[in-house]
Amino acid sequence: MNEAQSVHIDNGKGYAVPVTWVSGGGPVFLIMGALGVAAPFYDKLVAELAAQGWSVALMEQRGLGSSRLRPSRRHNWGFRDIVEDDVPAVLDWIAKEAPQRPVYLFGHSLGGHYAAMCAGLYPGRFEGIVMCACGSPWITAYQEADRRRVQRLTRLIPLCHLLFGYYPGDRLGFGGREARGVMSDWRHLALTNRYRVGADDRRVDQALADYTGPALMLRMENDPFASAIAVDSVLRRFQRHRPEEQVLSAGELNDKADHFRWARRPVAVVARLARWLEADQAGPAGVVARQI
């Protein structure tokens, strides 16, 4: 495994995106994390991907870890800032650092939603996307008890913004300390099941409906945050070409098959990726037809 490098990539809008970069051969995986989860959580995933000889760009979220920003009344951002400013800047950097290599977006949970949004906005800028443990927080996708919890959260978010100027998820037990724009966009997704990028909540979904590139959804068997229904609420957005869905069990993971435990032992996840990539190289028909 090549040594990891820490780089800061200028997004052209006054912010430097922190990225952990491991250079290898073959494809490049751009990793985007879950809500409130800092980049080091994915160190084992980075190591396992790099062990395959692949290159990895692990993108730190705004407001977390090595990001110089922290959410406040003064510092605010939303989905648009990530998918229209930060991700394109990182893709530009990868294109210069690793030219001619196929790039795949790998997103966990909220990061999977960012990958899906980018698939609609920039389908020609990467080879494909992988969404891992990525379910819609849409209220309708949950059973009664969980539905009530999400409803309470959608009512609490605006109040937190008024009181604090940001969302104190580290105190509330859901997410981390998040910018009010991010949580307003997440709340909109929970209420409508539509991606809002800026003021527009239809543009991305309309574009994503036409995406036909390679796409994989990895669902964990016992994941309350990304249940079969919640995952289907994401997959149905891809109207012309539904992503392949694969389900990982506790036996395969050698741990609980939930929203976060898979990252402790990511060997099974990376093995699935390797088989999926092999089928992708055989052509789109191979990806659609293969069953694992």
Side-chain angles (χ1 to χ4, degrees):
M1 171 180 169
N2 292 329
E3 186 175 349
Q5 306 172 46
S6 294
V7 297
H8 287 77
I9 299 168
D10 184 1
N11 74 350
K13 299 291 182 64
Y15 176 64
V17 185
V19 171
T20 300
W21 170 250
V22 180
S23 179
V28 180
F29 282 90
L30 170 54
I31 302 174
M32 295 175 285
L35 183 72
V37 179
F41 178 79
Y42 301 99
D43 283 350
K44 290 182 179 179
L45 174 63
V46 171
E48 193 63 35
L49 291 168
Q52 299 288 326
W54 302 335
S55 296
V56 187
L58 171 59
M59 186 174 125
E60 181 66 274
Q61 294 192 64
R62 290 189 182 209
L64 298 176
S66 57
S67 170
R68 65 174 177 80
L69 293 175
R70 288 297 180 266
S72 65
R73 291 194 188 278
R74 180 182 176 187
H75 295 116
N76 183 43
W77 56 88
F79 287 0
R80 187 199 65 76
D81 300 277
I82 284 82
V83 302
E84 291 192 350
D85 296 337
D86 296 356
V87 176
V90 176
L91 288 172
D92 287 342
W93 185 89
I94 291 172
K96 294 177 182 178
E97 189 71 18
Q100 307 304 317
R101 294 191 207 164
V103 177
Y104 292 85
L105 305 187
F106 182 105
H108 172 215
S109 194
L110 178 60
H113 291 296
Y114 289 151
M117 292 180 222
C118 291
L121 292 170
Y122 322 114
R125 299 207 57 186
F126 40 82
E127 183 68 21
I129 67 170
V130 178
M131 298 164 285
C132 182
C134 177
S136 174
W138 190 26
I139 290 172
T140 304
Y142 291 90
Q143 299 296 325
E144 186 174 350
D146 290 329
R147 183 179 302 179
R148 287 197 298 269
R149 282 192 282 269
V150 176
Q151 286 174 326
R152 284 196 295 269
L153 186 56
T154 61
R155 290 192 291 266
L156 185 60
I157 287 169
L159 179 61
C160 288
H161 296 169
L162 286 172
L163 291 174
F164 305 106
Y166 61 91
Y167 169 76
D170 48 349
R171 302 185 200 175
L172 299 175
F174 178 79
R177 176 169 172 162
E178 307 291 346
R180 60 185 181 275
V182 167
M183 293 310 295
S184 292
D185 291 337
W186 182 93
R187 177 178 183 268
H188 185 79
L189 181 59
L191 293 173
T192 67
N193 198 35
R194 291 202 300 266
Y195 290 139
R196 184 171 67 182
V197 176
D200 194 336
D201 71 349
R202 296 187 183 276
R203 173 172 61 102
V204 174
D205 283 317
Q206 289 170 348
L208 184 55
D210 290 329
Y211 179 75
T212 58
L216 174 65
M217 173 68 81
L218 296 175
R219 177 167 66 85
M220 305 302 143
E221 189 174 43
N222 301 115
D223 185 351
F225 294 108
S227 65
I229 297 174
V231 166
D232 184 68
S233 298
V234 177
L235 297 179
R236 70 177 63 174
R237 301 172 185 279
F238 297 78
Q239 295 180 15
R240 288 189 60 193
H241 175 57
R242 184 180 173 94
E244 179 178 354
E245 180 181 1
Q246 298 182 19
V247 182
L248 284 83
S249 67
E252 183 176 0
L253 290 166
N254 198 27
D255 204 337
K256 288 182 67 176
D258 67 10
H259 202 61
F260 295 108
R261 291 285 190 93
W262 65 268
R264 294 182 178 184
R265 296 183 176 90
V267 175
V269 166
V270 174
R272 293 284 189 124
L273 288 179
R275 292 193 288 257
W276 180 71
L277 286 177
E278 183 179 359
D280 179 38
Q281 292 170 0
V287 175
V288 174
R290 192 180 89 268
Q291 299 295 323
I292 295 182

